Amino acid sequence: MRSIWNGAISFGLVSIPIKLVNATESHSISFRQIHVSDGGRVRYRKVCELDGEEVPSAEIGKGYEEADGSIVPITDEDLAQLPLATAKTIEIMSFVPAEEIDPLQLDAAYYLAANGATAAKPYTLLREALKRSRKVAIAKYALRGRERLGMLRVVDDVIAMHGLLWPDEIRAPEGVAPEVAVSVRDAELDLADALMATLGEVEMASLHDDYREAVEALIVAKSGGAFEPTEAVVEPAGGQVIDLMAALEKSVRAAKASRGEAGAAGGAEAEAQVTPIRRKAGAGAGAGAGAAAVAPKAVGGKKSTAASAKKTAASAATKKKATTTGKAAAGKSTSGAAATKSTTKSTAKSTAKSTAKKTGAAAAKKAATPRKRTSA
């Protein structure tokens, strides 16, 4: 691999000559800008504002623009003469636990290669010291016209360096968190933990860029003239989550199903079933018939003939039973009314007879009593 910077690691009084090599590479597909009407390439040209002529790269330098618009030229020689200890040195300042480094600070990654046979011994010493301490080294270095912050750690048998953003380059997350007060129940956290455990881990080496592969296939098809556009199948975006618990439970079942765990498919099918609401049957045959009429249809496939016949027989039996019960109740009610009428008639007759007897006795007694004469 081609080195992009040569210098040394300053480890106390130990100096380790190293070469800086890019640890990452971009596989992004680059597109050119073209003129849509004729397909011609659109290019950018660097033109001098004073004479209007195009300037080749060899004649382009650096300059700092001041507030009044004037330009102060800065050359590479000017930058090389700056009194910085880090101009050609990665100066280690301290060793800290890796968890103290905020991942937000991580920037570009590099490999540090020992430069020459004499660098092998101190290079290995620093590598093994980092391994045994389980710490990372914080260092300063200068690259591309500015001083930078770096973190050294061990990757396999190589010392790697991650560029770090300066602490004042990390913005505070103000106004990013939800402003509405939200409470999370323990049951929801338990389901979230179950979902995390079900999803498990992933082999990082197995991850790849599906979009880039699709674009590459598109380019090959169009260049060969065999491209046939097809409508993309887009999964519908999820709407607003109304029941978080239900969404978590469904996610756990889906994750288990994707991993082929037993019982996951049955749970998904059970979720699709609809439980019919049973209505209370009213008194009498009419209520029974009404209840049968509004009974919800079963969810699933078509009803079998046996099931239909069974249901019809059950309905007829229910109707017959209700009719019989109604007649019996009506007959019982009529007998009760007749008995009541007879009792009332007998009571009235007995009362009238007793009254007449008392009235006759009083009249006879009055007739037998002699009247007193009144003297003139």
Side-chain angles (χ1 to χ4, degrees), residues 21-43:
V21 179
N22 279 322
T24 61
E25 58 184 0
S26 175
H27 291 164
S28 298
I29 298 176
S30 299
F31 294 103
R32 303 294 186 183
Q33 291 186 332
I34 62 172
H35 190 193
V36 177
S37 60
D38 56 14
R41 173 84 179 273
V42 176
R43 298 178 181 271

Side-chain angles (χ1 to χ4, degrees), residues 178-349:
E179 297 180 358
V180 182
V182 179
S183 60
V184 179
R185 294 178 294 170
D186 291 340
E188 294 170 340
L189 285 174
D190 293 340
L191 275 175
D193 291 340
L195 178 58
M196 293 168 63
T198 305
L199 292 176
E201 299 178 355
V202 65
E203 289 291 337
M204 297 298 293
S206 66
L207 303 178
H208 57 279
D209 189 349
D210 295 327
Y211 181 79
R212 176 174 58 86
E213 293 179 356
V215 173
E216 289 175 347
L218 169 65
I219 294 173
V220 171
K222 294 200 75 171
S223 63
F227 174 71
E228 295 182 1
T230 57
E231 185 176 353
V233 178
V234 181
E235 294 292 335
Q240 182 181 4
V241 178
I242 299 176
D243 190 343
L244 182 58
M245 292 288 289
L248 287 171
E249 291 173 353
K250 185 177 180 181
S251 300
V252 171
R253 286 196 296 270
K256 288 182 178 179
S258 65
R259 294 180 178 273
E261 296 185 16
E269 292 178 0
E271 181 195 9
Q273 299 296 325
V274 178
T275 303
I277 300 175
R278 298 184 177 276
R279 301 194 178 188
K280 296 181 179 179
V294 297
K297 295 182 179 179
V299 177
K302 295 182 178 180
K303 298 180 182 178
S304 62
T305 306
S308 300
K310 187 176 181 180
K311 183 175 180 181
T312 303
S315 178
T318 303
K319 186 174 181 180
K320 182 177 181 180
K321 184 178 180 180
T323 305
T324 305
T325 304
K327 287 181 178 180
K332 190 174 182 180
S333 177
T334 305
S335 300
T340 302
K341 185 175 180 182
S342 176
T343 303
T344 303
K345 186 175 181 181
S346 176
T347 303
K349 185 175 181 181

Side-chain angles (χ1 to χ4, degrees), residues 98-108 138 141 149-151 162-171:
E99 55 268 18
E100 291 188 9
I101 304 301
D102 190 343
L104 285 175
Q105 289 185 256
L106 295 178
D107 201 359
I138 303 300
Y141 65 101
L149 194 62
M151 178 189 74
H162 295 269
L164 296 179
L165 299 175
W166 295 98
D168 59 357
E169 293 179 323
I170 304 297
R171 300 174 61 184

